[in-house]
Amino acid sequence: MRVFVAINLGDGERARLAGAAQRLRESDFPVRWVPPQNVHLTLKFLGEVGEDRLAELFSAVDDASSGIAAFDMTLRGFGAFPALRRPRVVWAGVEHEATLARLQQNVERALEAIGYERENRRFSPHLTLGRARKGARAGDFEGFEDLVNRLTYEGTFRVPAVDVMRSRLEPGGAIYSVLHSTSLVT
């Protein structure tokens, strides 16, 4: 099964974010939008994981989260990778926060210790809102940068847990479910 480690937003914050991004979603740009209920912050994508490894994985995430206190995460603004003029990934920004960085590093180290490959790219926290459709060209995004720059969003929410998620790929898109949740210290 496809598995990743994530921080999930509460329903209220997801709804606020979806409302702020509505003009983007309603635009004619060639983007496959992530359903609002699937928006999350990925700490580590693992790919295919056998059921026989789940207990070890859950334990590693528990260990990585041990001693980390629940913290506030602030979302601010919208952007795109690699750039607004030719986006591949459209995102909502996540402010850098020391506890979030420490948590992600702990998860990375704990999973590397049980055989998962370490991510070589620098952690760039964001919430993926959409991905450019295959075959989309730079010219298809004329006006996109202006639209994004006119939108504003800021929200802060409490992060009470780290979740190990399953991603089932269906014809209508991915369906996510929580396999294991580790509460942070309150």
Side-chain angles (χ1 to χ4, degrees), residues 118-147:
R118 190 170 194 66
E119 179 62 56
N120 291 326
R121 290 179 291 185
R122 189 176 136 263
F123 181 55
S124 181
H126 64 279
L127 307 176
T128 298
L129 302 177
R131 291 178 179 81
R133 294 187 184 278
K134 288 186 180 178
R137 299 178 315 247
D140 297 335
F141 290 95
E142 188 174 324
F144 182 78
E145 183 174 12
D146 290 337
L147 175 58

Side-chain angles (χ1 to χ4, degrees), residues 55-67 110 162 164 180-183:
E56 178 183 40
L57 171 60
F58 299 162
S59 179
V61 172
D62 290 347
D63 290 347
S65 305
S66 176
V162 175
V164 177
H180 179 78
S181 189
T182 301
S183 294

Side-chain angles (χ1 to χ4, degrees), residues 20-77:
Q22 186 171 350
R23 288 182 58 204
L24 280 174
R25 291 177 177 279
E26 292 172 348
S27 68
D28 290 329
F29 298 108
V31 175
R32 272 186 352 267
W33 296 105
V34 173
Q37 70 272 15
N38 283 1
V39 173
H40 63 276
L41 184 142
T42 301
L43 294 173
K44 175 77 174 168
F45 180 76
L46 299 170
E48 290 296 322
V49 174
E51 285 192 42
D52 59 324
R53 302 237 24 223
L54 290 179
E56 178 183 40
L57 171 60
F58 299 162
S59 179
V61 172
D62 290 347
D63 290 347
S65 305
S66 176
I68 303 254
F71 61 97
D72 290 336
M73 190 162 80
T74 299
L75 310 177
R76 182 171 287 133

Side-chain angles (χ1 to χ4, degrees), residues 1-5 40 44-51 54 57 131 164-170 173-179:
M1 72 184 77
R2 287 170 49 97
V3 174
F4 61 95
V5 181
H40 63 276
K44 175 77 174 168
F45 180 76
L46 299 170
E48 290 296 322
V49 174
E51 285 192 42
L54 290 179
L57 171 60
R131 291 178 179 81
V164 177
M165 305 290 294
R166 178 180 185 182
S167 172
R168 280 192 352 258
L169 299 178
E170 301 287 335
I175 297 176
Y176 299 154
S177 56
V178 176
L179 295 172

Side-chain angles (χ1 to χ4, degrees), residues 24 77-80 84 90 143-152:
L24 280 174
F78 299 100
L84 286 169
V90 179
F144 182 78
E145 183 174 12
D146 290 337
L147 175 58
V148 170
N149 287 334
R150 286 193 310 268
L151 299 177
T152 59

Side-chain angles (χ1 to χ4, degrees), residues 7 43 68 71 95-109 123 125:
I7 292 173
L43 294 173
I68 303 254
F71 61 97
E95 286 199 356
H96 287 275
E97 203 277 335
T99 303
L100 173 61
R102 190 171 83 235
L103 175 61
Q104 190 276 333
Q105 290 169 4
N106 286 358
V107 167
E108 194 71 57
R109 277 193 292 271
F123 181 55

